[in-house]
Amino acid sequence: MAASGDFAEPRRLGVLDGLRGLAVLLVLWYHVWEISFLPAPVSWLQFVPETGFIGVTLFFYLSGFVIAYPFIRHWLAGGPPQRWGEFAWRRFIKIMPSYSLFIVIAYAIGFAQKQPGASAPVDIVTHLLFVHTWFAQTYGTISGVLWTLGVEVEFYIVFPLVWWCFRRNPWFTTAGAVLIAVAWRAWLAHCCIHTSFGEYSENLPGYLDIFLFGAISAYCYVRFRPFRWRGGGIASALVSIAGAAWLVWLLQSLYAYRLYDLWSNVWQIDRRPLLGAAFSVLALGFLWAPRWWQWLLDNPPLRFLATISYNLYLYHQMLARELLAWRIPPYIPPAQYDPVWQPQFTAVAFSATIVQATIVTYVFERPLLRVRLPWSRPRDNETTPGIKPDAGRKRT
């Protein structure tokens, strides 16, 4: 889900990297916890692993932000516009090679064939076309985590239309996306609560609000960040704390629903926009805060996790389930009742998937990301007056 990012972006924002690193940690913890059932270190943190799937929602928010950000920066700050051909190429070269490699490996080790309802020709075609989320028989095939790539790519496809609307009125466009998403989820709950509600509420229409919260956050960051007042940095840090507290409260509210049928989907019917708003408050608070405060997110460990996050996301569930199938570390069934095996498995799964993602990222993904279209122009900070060529990564 780091697919929306680009390591070569000269003016990427470290705070967003930190949030991406936290998002992938949440998802990793959640899927490993689904296997091991290892309790959180302290009981009052148990809501974190059990609601870790919200890391995917945070990924979508970040996608909306970083995809819209260069367009908004050109629109409001007068930088050179990004060409649609270059936009499409950067999305393609980031997603498709690693995605295709993962599918090949999933079939090579026999993982894809073991998924419920597996049918190789149909599964491969629908996944390569990114339409697998629209069919019940292919929604979770090959690997369950791939549904998010379908949602992500579909947003890329509709983004030109979204941008056309957004440029004319950012606030009305965001409000319209929220209304569409809430209406979509509510309609599905009304018509299909016991059939296809769970799957179809997780398709693109159900996440338009989150993507647009990211876009409107990018707009606010570019539009209002020149505004400074005495003590504004400290106030922004306090805003980020408020956003973090709001997000924790929402996750605890979600956790309280865990005993209900379809609990995560039902809770999000009308509350998903609150997650988008909490992400916005948290992100903008950090982006406007002093550099010493941003370090809480913009630090080397989280930046590293952000760099490998796409491959970490792709492989983590498959690798964890293969470790369980191969009894690494060894156990006597049922493993989940073994208090010695639980932390051992969690440590091995975390370590193995981080090592694997690091290798794939640096050996396969990053060299390909350096491939540029012959007609692509220099990066925007190479041509925009007043922007130093090295002013990107550390700027706030």
Side-chain angles (χ1 to χ4, degrees):
M1 291 303 307
S4 55
D6 184 343
F7 83 95
E9 174 61 44
R11 298 184 65 187
R12 73 184 301 164
L13 305 172
V15 164
L16 302 188
D17 285 337
L19 288 174
R20 183 178 288 116
L22 288 178
V24 79
L25 275 181
L26 283 174
V27 177
L28 174 60
W29 192 359
Y30 169 68
H31 282 135
V32 172
W33 171 85
E34 278 192 313
I35 298 173
S36 70
F37 292 115
L38 176 68
V42 289
S43 59
W44 54 269
L45 281 178
Q46 187 58 35
F47 75 93
V48 179
E50 295 199 38
T51 61
F53 52 84
I54 292 300
V56 168
T57 310
L58 179 53
F59 276 134
F60 290 149
Y61 167 84
L62 294 171
S63 293
F65 192 117
V66 300
I67 289 172
Y69 178 54
F71 290 90
I72 293 170
R73 195 169 63 212
H74 161 67
W75 173 34
L76 296 181
Q82 188 178 44
R83 299 171 184 171
W84 289 111
E86 184 179 350
F87 168 83
W89 171 252
R90 292 174 68 184
R91 303 283 75 77
F92 174 86
I93 200 65
K94 174 64 182 181
I95 287 184
M96 282 305 297
S98 293
Y99 181 71
S100 302
L101 177 65
F102 171 80
I103 291 175
V104 169
I105 292 176
Y107 276 101
I109 67 174
F111 181 82
Q113 296 90 318
K114 294 184 291 186
Q115 304 312 304
S119 175
V122 174
D123 295 341
I124 292 172
V125 169
T126 55
H127 279 75
L128 291 179
L129 293 176
F130 296 98
V131 296
H132 52 283
T133 61
W134 291 100
F135 304 97
Q137 65 270 29
T138 59
Y139 185 90
T141 54
I142 300 183
S143 177
V145 302
L146 298 185
W147 70 270
T148 60
L149 273 297
V151 175
E152 186 94 2
V153 170
E154 289 165 13
F155 180 70
Y156 299 160
I157 292 171
V158 304
F159 180 71
L161 175 61
V162 171
W163 174 245
W164 184 87
C165 298
F166 191 91
R167 184 165 180 172
R168 279 149 182 80
N169 196 309
W171 298 102
F172 279 8
T173 302
T174 302
V178 171
L179 290 175
I180 291 171
V182 172
W184 173 261
R185 296 189 294 265
W187 174 74
L188 285 170
H190 176 72
C191 78
C192 320
I193 189 67
H194 297 298
T195 54
S196 55
F197 168 64
E199 290 81 6
Y200 285 111
S201 65
E202 299 294 284
N203 268 288
L204 176 61
Y207 280 102
L208 274 178
D209 47 357
I210 298 299
F211 282 110
L212 266 295
F213 268 110
I216 199 67
S217 295
Y219 173 80
C220 291
Y221 175 68
V222 177
R223 176 68 177 82
F224 301 114
R225 65 188 171 94
F227 181 65
R228 291 289 184 265
W229 65 94
R230 188 172 183 179
I234 300 299
S236 297
L238 294 175
V239 167
S240 71
I241 294 174
W246 188 9
L247 181 58
V248 167
W249 179 80
L250 287 171
L251 294 182
Q252 289 177 331
S253 171
L254 171 60
Y255 178 66
Y257 267 66
R258 68 191 182 281
L259 299 181
Y260 291 88
D261 187 32
L262 295 172
W263 60 283
S264 63
N265 302 96
V266 170
W267 183 89
Q268 294 183 75
I269 292 173
D270 55 357
R271 294 178 180 88
R272 189 172 284 168
L274 298 179
L275 287 172
F279 294 153
S280 300
V281 173
L282 176 64
L284 289 172
F286 269 103
L287 286 167
W288 286 329
R291 182 69 187 91
W292 57 267
W293 184 256
Q294 291 186 9
W295 185 88
L296 292 172
L297 289 177
D298 185 9
N299 56 66
L302 287 179
R303 286 200 299 267
F304 168 72
L305 287 173
T307 300
I308 67 170
S309 60
Y310 183 34
N311 289 294
L312 187 60
Y313 179 81
L314 284 175
Y315 288 90
H316 75 279
Q317 187 183 60
M318 180 176 74
L319 184 55
R321 294 195 177 278
E322 287 297 293
L323 288 172
L324 180 69
W326 285 92
R327 299 198 176 200
I328 303 174
Y331 62 87
I332 299 175
Q336 291 79 5
Y337 292 98
D338 184 345
V340 175
W341 175 85
Q342 288 176 305
Q344 290 178 345
F345 174 81
T346 300
V348 170
F350 268 66
S351 301
T353 195
I354 289 173
V355 169
Q356 172 274 324
T358 301
I359 293 172
V360 175
T361 298
Y362 284 92
V363 174
F364 182 76
E365 179 189 285
R366 286 176 68 91
L368 288 175
L369 289 178
R370 296 187 178 94
V371 177
R372 296 173 62 181
L373 291 172
W375 58 84
S376 62
R377 60 167 177 271
R379 298 293 182 184
D380 56 1
N381 70 341
E382 297 172 355
T383 58
T384 303
I387 301 296
K388 296 181 180 180
D390 60 348
R393 190 150 180 78
K394 296 299 183 182
R395 75 182 303 279
T396 59

